[in-house]
Amino acid sequence: MAALSTQDVIVIEERPNPSSDFFVLPYLTLHSANVQRYTFAQLAEPEALVGKTLIFVRYIPAPWRQLIDTVADKIGQIVLFIDDDVLDPAASVGMPWRYRLKLWRLSYRAVPWLKHHAAQLWVANSYLAQKYHHWQPHTLQAMPLALAPQVPVTLFYHGSSSHQAEARWLFPIVADALKAVPALNFEIIADKKIARLYRGLQKTHVLQPMSWPSYQALLQRQRYDIGLAPLLPLPFNQARSVTKFFDITQAGAVGIYAESPIYQAVQQDKSGIRLPMQPQLWRDTIVSLANDNQRRLQLLDTAKQQVRQWPDAVAQDD
């Protein structure tokens, strides 16, 4: 069983990941540790490390090694946790060269540094424990992820490549909404340029463009709650049609639509919500809808009725 020299722990990880969630964090919770988490993009102040147990998950980036060297005699403990054989270059033969280069930068060449600082090794299975027995490793048991009790709410934007401007416009709005609502997650269909923008966003799923039959199958298969249909005042957008209302409703979601003649058929606050293209207003509406399941159900029910009665419902409104 692994031992903690102090209950004050800093976990250093490339980003939130399954290695931390299935092994390291459950163990620390079990032992009532006080945990701070840092990603590679964050670097603590030297005084923040004093008296702490530092746990590296899989990788040991150079800036953190340099930081620790400045206060090494004041740190309680250094630990490396691995759940793959990332310390032996021979083990990764046949893997993509980019991955092998990453292992060299962040794992292989840190081994002498780890040994110099008498770091402990924590491993995920008996194979690694046996292979690195000379390190006297401790084996952690995998534990199920403690899922959040709230029901997830899925926000989505399924724009084509002709909607790159709208996708970029939505980015800060979606990023802020995801921070504000823990249960909210986001899905976007995006080409390579937009995919690069959104892939770093937490709780975001990026899909590649697909054929129309594949898209129809997706809407039937997935669960959605809030669909987005922004439209910027661009000449090309003047010729759009109302079909996003059909897609969003077919997906079982409530739509937030641009205040545009194109979406005039959407009954305001009945079968959807039309908004001027003001970022703060879109952000606040997303957050409000995400936190109000009853309102979403009411809007969706009216939207479904309107689609079933189309085009008579539109004619009556006119």
Side-chain angles (χ1 to χ4, degrees):
M1 179 64 68
L4 292 174
S5 64
T6 170
Q7 294 301 107
D8 294 321
V9 176
I10 292 177
V11 174
I12 302 112
E13 54 199 343
E14 186 174 17
R15 62 179 67 89
N17 64 89
S19 303
S20 296
D21 285 348
F22 286 127
F23 290 94
V24 177
L25 296 176
Y27 171 80
L28 296 175
T29 299
L30 191 64
H31 289 78
S32 303
N34 303 313
V35 180
Q36 293 177 279
R37 298 175 73 173
Y38 284 83
T39 67
F40 289 0
Q42 303 167 312
L43 201 61
E45 295 298 324
E47 56 270 21
L49 309 185
V50 175
K52 303 291 178 61
T53 292
L54 308 183
I55 302 176
F56 289 95
V57 180
R58 294 175 58 92
Y59 309 117
I60 313 95
W64 273 91
R65 298 202 304 269
Q66 295 164 5
L67 171 63
I68 290 169
D69 285 340
T70 66
V71 289
D73 57 334
K74 299 177 183 178
I75 291 173
Q77 185 180 16
I78 297 175
V79 176
L80 171 66
F81 170 77
I82 59 173
D83 54 355
D84 283 317
D85 195 354
V86 299
L87 300 180
D88 179 6
S92 63
V93 171
M95 301 293 286
W97 71 267
R98 289 183 183 276
Y99 182 66
R100 298 196 75 196
L101 179 61
K102 177 180 179 178
L103 293 183
W104 179 81
R105 287 192 305 105
L106 297 175
S107 298
Y108 303 156
R109 69 176 182 175
V111 170
W113 180 89
L114 290 166
K115 292 183 176 179
H116 172 75
H117 288 289
Q120 288 191 13
L121 182 65
W122 293 0
V123 298
N125 53 59
S126 58
Y127 174 84
L128 293 171
Q130 183 175 358
K131 179 168 182 176
Y132 295 101
H133 65 90
H134 58 280
W135 210 317
Q136 297 181 318
H138 299 287
T139 304
L140 300 190
Q141 298 298 320
M143 296 183 66
L145 186 64
L147 297 176
Q150 63 262 52
V151 177
V153 176
T154 299
L155 174 74
F156 71 99
Y157 178 56
H158 291 167
S160 68
S161 59
S162 65
H163 285 281
Q164 284 195 8
E166 282 80 12
R168 294 184 187 280
W169 181 84
L170 278 174
F171 180 80
I173 297 169
V174 170
D176 198 26
L178 291 173
K179 292 177 183 177
V181 184
L184 191 64
N185 62 88
F186 181 62
E187 179 180 285
I188 184 170
I189 295 176
D191 60 17
K192 290 182 179 180
K193 289 184 179 179
I194 299 302
R196 282 196 295 269
L197 175 66
Y198 276 89
R199 279 202 179 106
L201 206 57
Q202 298 296 326
K203 301 187 294 180
T204 295
H205 187 202
V206 180
L207 301 180
Q208 293 182 346
M210 63 193 74
S211 68
W212 175 244
S214 296
Y215 180 61
Q216 289 292 295
L218 174 72
L219 295 187
Q220 295 296 322
R221 186 173 67 248
Q222 297 291 92
R223 177 187 176 276
Y224 296 106
D225 297 286
I226 304 170
L228 302 177
L231 275 179
L232 290 168
L234 302 174
F236 197 74
N237 284 339
Q238 295 178 18
R240 302 288 186 181
S241 69
V242 75
T243 54
K244 275 295 174 193
F245 175 64
F246 302 153
D247 290 341
I248 291 173
T249 304
Q250 182 185 355
V254 173
I256 302 176
Y257 305 89
E259 183 63 86
S260 162
I262 292 164
Y263 295 122
Q264 205 61 39
V266 177
Q267 300 170 2
Q268 178 69 333
D269 288 324
K270 292 181 180 179
S271 61
I273 298 174
R274 300 196 310 270
L275 297 176
M277 294 291 286
Q278 298 173 10
Q280 188 63 40
L281 193 55
W282 279 67
R283 179 267 183 203
D284 292 345
T285 303
I286 291 169
V287 170
S288 176
L289 269 182
N291 287 320
D292 194 340
N293 182 61
Q294 187 60 37
R295 188 183 181 205
R296 294 201 310 272
L297 290 175
Q298 291 171 349
L299 290 167
L300 178 59
D301 184 60
T302 304
K304 287 180 176 178
Q305 291 181 37
Q306 188 177 3
V307 169
R308 282 195 298 266
Q309 297 167 5
W310 200 277
D312 294 338
V314 179
Q316 290 173 7
D317 289 341
D318 292 342

